[in-house]
Amino acid sequence: MDSASRKASLHEKRVEVGSINLGRDDATRHSEPLADGALPTEPAEAATGTNENSINEGAADLKKNIGIFSATGMGVSLMVGSGIFSTPAAILGLVGTPSMALVLWGIGAVISFGGATAFIELGLMYRENGGTMRFLAHSFPKPKLMLSYLFAWTMIACIRPGAIAANGPVIGKYWLYAIGSDKNSSTGWHARGVGFGCITFVTLINILSARWSLRLINLLTVIKIAVLLVIVVTGIIAAAGGLNVERNSNWSRGFRGTSSDAHSYASALTKVFWAYDGFTNLVYSLGELRKPERNLPWSIGGSVAIVGFLYIMANVAFFVVVPIDIAVNSEEILAAEFTYRVFGHRIGRVVLPVLIGLSVLGAICAQTYGVSRLLDSANQVGFIPHGRKICGNHKRFGTPVSALLIMYALTMIYLLAPPPGKVFDLLVDFVQWSTWLFYGLAATGAIALRFKRPHHPLRSFKSFHPLNILFISFCIYITVFPFIPPSKVKEDAPYPFYLSPLLGLITTLVGLIPWYLRLVWWPRQSGANLMAWVEAEEHDRGSDETEASTTTSSQPGNVEHNKHESSNHQIA
């Protein structure tokens, strides 16, 4: 059987596990969300005859409506959130000089690209909905899908609501700055109050109408890209002497005064990758992507390259215009300080800060809208008990009201529970610890599967292992070094240096309790097989892998051709 026939066979096969039919096309259908954001409400037939033991199946197929330009735009819009507007000042304060800060932003682009290639390879191998959750299930199925479940747990209980809560006060700071509030009134509870209102508004929109939620996301995406381009272009003009702005010594000082503290660099890199996080989002919508063999590598790789360039140029612009001492003290509103110095009071202090706040609101909209897909994926593979009640759509609104309200309640805890002060830094470091822990594990899985499944029939792209290892090394760095005491502990620090990573670690470990109850204890009591979907997919692909290996070995003339074809997809 030739390669084309094997790929066609892969999509036609149907594998029976117990009484759960998990054929190639069925598995794809049950794991993909509806195009308008609605969630499926009808479960598949259960293996044991009860809904509690079933793996839920979607009610409708998705159309392949995402092309290469839409896919690239999706990655760019999700990566450009609050990070580039809210973290450069903190990063500068941690490393000491704009030159070193710029180096970190460049390193962030390279390392993100290394991680992106691993996710491209995994996304092409497992093209169903679920993203990292699915990749970890196939890479490390033992014990009892523990890593896959813990990722889903942390995303739902920690990463997503924590990220939304971190973005809320950033909007408040920019909008309070725009109305002329001083720094004291634009921090703490005032900014959190604005964030509370924005998160509540976005949640209500998502409850009332999925269509209007998408329209709002599209509008705010246009605004955020436009604002970032304005900053980049005006920065280039200012550097060339085309604007009447006060000169400073930010760049002429080079690396003099650069910090040498390892803990500071770990914290700075955590904030850098808060801004780059988002290149993985497309893998959660692979069921809608046309020609994934071509479009997935170009769209994810292209989005990292575009965003990396824009981020580096935006930082150049910030520090060409804003002196280092003012930049550090401006904290999350450095972009507003930049626009004020370039455009003056009316546009620079009022109009552009309002637009920057709207761009951060766009990040909250995208994160909130994605909650339904996140919970739906976990429900479809059986991770959530009584998932139909939690993830099902409201009869009147056609939206996952219960899921949105649960996520809203968790977000409010993260927004309101921390003490007044640098709540943004606390939340960013908190959610990033778990995020990059699991990203590193997923990239490790890509390497492991290269040896475990060397002839996987859908591996049409091979990532470059040295870049993957660089990415994994970084993930280890920012999950270990935050626990190492800094060389200089600030006496006025609002919280202990280890609090954020410790909270991330504790939240992840707490997930072992529901994992044991759901995937160990419950199957023993009920006889349910909640690993059936992984076993079925591996059996399905394993048959084709064996056939591919046999065919290749029996046809020596094809060996050099296959090597040549594989090398064409390598990234060097």
Side-chain angles (χ1 to χ4, degrees):
M1 183 182 293
D2 58 22
S3 176
S5 299
R6 285 196 303 274
K7 289 183 180 180
S9 174
L10 182 65
H11 289 275
E12 293 172 359
K13 282 188 175 182
R14 310 188 70 83
V15 179
E16 299 289 339
V17 179
S19 62
I20 301 178
N21 191 323
L22 286 176
R24 181 74 255 121
D25 46 356
D26 277 355
T28 301
R29 181 173 66 249
H30 87 247
S31 64
E32 296 168 357
L34 301 179
D36 62 353
L39 299 175
T41 57
E42 294 300 326
E45 290 298 322
T48 63
T50 67
N51 290 341
E52 188 62 19
N53 299 331
S54 68
I55 296 177
N56 292 323
E57 182 173 0
D61 293 305
L62 279 177
K63 294 181 179 179
K64 303 282 186 177
N65 53 13
I66 300 178
I68 186 168
F69 293 108
S70 296
T72 304
M74 181 185 299
V76 171
S77 65
L78 288 172
M79 291 172 72
V80 181
S82 67
I84 187 57
F85 303 117
S86 57
T87 62
I91 293 167
L92 175 62
L94 288 164
V95 301
T97 59
S99 298
M100 180 52 70
L102 202 64
V103 169
L104 293 190
W105 284 98
I107 290 174
V110 174
I111 293 177
S112 295
F113 187 76
T117 60
F119 277 84
I120 292 169
E121 179 173 343
L122 291 168
L124 290 173
M125 292 169 64
Y126 305 104
R127 303 180 185 184
E128 299 84 0
N129 203 30
T132 306
M133 182 187 72
R134 187 174 295 274
F135 303 157
L136 290 172
H138 287 280
S139 302
F140 309 106
K142 296 180 181 180
K144 299 289 184 180
L145 306 181
M146 183 183 73
L147 290 179
S148 177
Y149 186 95
L150 288 179
F151 171 77
W153 162 264
T154 56
M155 281 291 286
I156 295 170
C158 160
I159 296 173
R160 186 53 56 88
I164 296 172
N167 283 327
V170 176
I171 301 173
K173 290 187 176 184
Y174 275 100
W175 285 357
L176 290 170
Y177 177 90
I179 64 174
S181 298
D182 57 33
K183 184 176 180 180
N184 291 330
S185 64
S186 63
T187 57
W189 293 110
H190 294 85
R192 282 198 238 186
V194 175
F196 173 85
C198 291
I199 294 169
T200 302
F201 167 75
V202 169
T203 302
L204 287 174
I205 291 293
N206 277 269
I207 287 175
L208 296 175
S209 174
R211 178 172 298 179
W212 277 101
S213 299
L214 286 172
R215 290 173 178 173
L216 183 60
I217 291 172
N218 293 336
L219 173 63
L220 296 176
T221 297
V222 172
I223 291 174
K224 72 170 69 175
I225 299 299
V227 169
L228 191 55
L229 286 174
V230 167
I231 291 174
V232 169
V233 172
T234 53
I236 293 173
I237 296 173
L243 293 175
N244 185 21
V245 294
E246 181 182 351
R247 297 291 178 179
N248 59 60
S249 60
N250 286 354
W251 295 111
S252 61
R253 66 190 296 168
F255 292 93
R256 293 193 307 273
T258 299
S259 172
S260 58
D261 181 54
H263 182 275
S264 295
Y265 282 93
S267 183
L269 284 170
T270 297
K271 291 173 175 56
V272 167
F273 284 91
W274 163 264
Y276 278 108
D277 188 17
F279 63 83
T280 64
N281 279 289
L282 182 59
V283 300
Y284 295 94
S285 302
L286 287 175
E288 301 173 61
L289 183 65
R290 295 196 299 266
K291 298 181 180 178
E293 297 88 351
R294 183 197 69 177
N295 292 343
L296 186 63
W298 282 104
S299 57
I300 292 183
S303 63
V304 173
I306 292 170
V307 170
F309 172 78
L310 290 175
Y311 282 1
I312 290 171
M313 294 307 299
N315 274 270
V316 171
F318 290 149
F319 301 128
V320 162
V321 173
V322 184
I324 187 170
D325 54 338
I326 297 176
V328 172
N329 291 328
S330 64
E331 298 180 344
E332 286 90 28
I333 57 172
L334 172 60
E337 183 68 31
F338 168 86
T339 59
Y340 173 68
R341 289 172 174 265
V342 171
F343 297 102
H345 185 275
R346 183 180 299 273
I347 296 178
R349 188 176 176 94
V350 178
V351 177
L352 284 175
V354 169
L355 294 178
I356 292 172
L358 287 174
S359 71
V360 179
L361 183 66
I364 292 178
C365 290
Q367 291 164 334
T368 303
Y369 184 82
V371 167
S372 60
R373 290 175 180 242
L374 190 64
L375 286 169
D376 186 41
S377 298
N379 174 46
Q380 287 166 350
V381 298
F383 284 175
I384 301 177
H386 305 290
R388 292 183 64 193
K389 297 179 181 179
I390 299 174
C391 301
N393 287 344
H394 190 276
K395 292 182 179 179
R396 178 179 178 184
F397 301 120
T399 57
V401 174
S402 297
L404 288 166
L405 290 177
I406 291 172
M407 195 58 56
Y408 177 77
L410 289 171
T411 302
M412 288 300 107
I413 293 174
Y414 289 117
L415 177 67
L416 303 176
K422 294 190 175 183
V423 62
F424 176 79
D425 290 339
L426 174 68
L427 289 174
V428 167
D429 294 345
F430 166 51
V431 303
Q432 288 296 88
W433 191 90
S434 299
T435 299
W436 294 95
L437 169 67
F438 288 105
Y439 282 0
L441 289 170
T444 303
I447 296 176
L449 286 170
R450 188 79 65 87
F451 299 97
K452 185 179 179 181
R453 300 280 187 268
H455 303 291
H456 195 286
L458 292 181
R459 185 188 282 115
S460 57
F461 176 95
K462 291 184 178 181
S463 58
F464 188 47
H465 281 175
L467 275 179
N468 299 155
I469 293 171
L470 178 64
F471 178 79
I472 295 167
S473 300
F474 157 77
C475 293
I476 294 172
Y477 179 80
I478 65 168
T479 53
V480 172
F481 273 83
F483 290 102
I484 298 177
S487 57
K488 295 181 180 179
V489 179
K490 296 181 179 179
E491 296 181 358
D492 60 344
Y495 51 86
F497 70 90
Y498 55 81
L499 180 59
S500 291
L502 180 61
L503 289 174
L505 174 61
I506 291 173
T507 305
T508 303
L509 293 179
V510 167
L512 291 172
I513 298 173
W515 164 76
Y516 178 83
L517 294 174
R518 184 60 178 169
L519 291 179
V520 179
W521 179 82
W522 172 249
R524 289 176 182 173
Q525 300 298 314
S526 65
N529 183 5
L530 296 180
M531 296 182 64
W533 59 280
V534 179
E535 296 168 357
E537 289 178 1
E538 290 300 344
H539 181 276
D540 191 11
R541 292 183 174 94
S543 300
D544 284 274
E545 182 178 342
T546 302
E547 183 180 349
S549 178
T550 303
T551 303
T552 300
S553 62
S554 64
Q555 297 181 11
N558 288 335
V559 173
E560 291 301 320
H561 170 73
N562 291 338
K563 288 183 178 179
H564 174 71
E565 182 175 327
S566 175
S567 66
N568 287 339
H569 289 84
Q570 281 274 7
I571 290 185

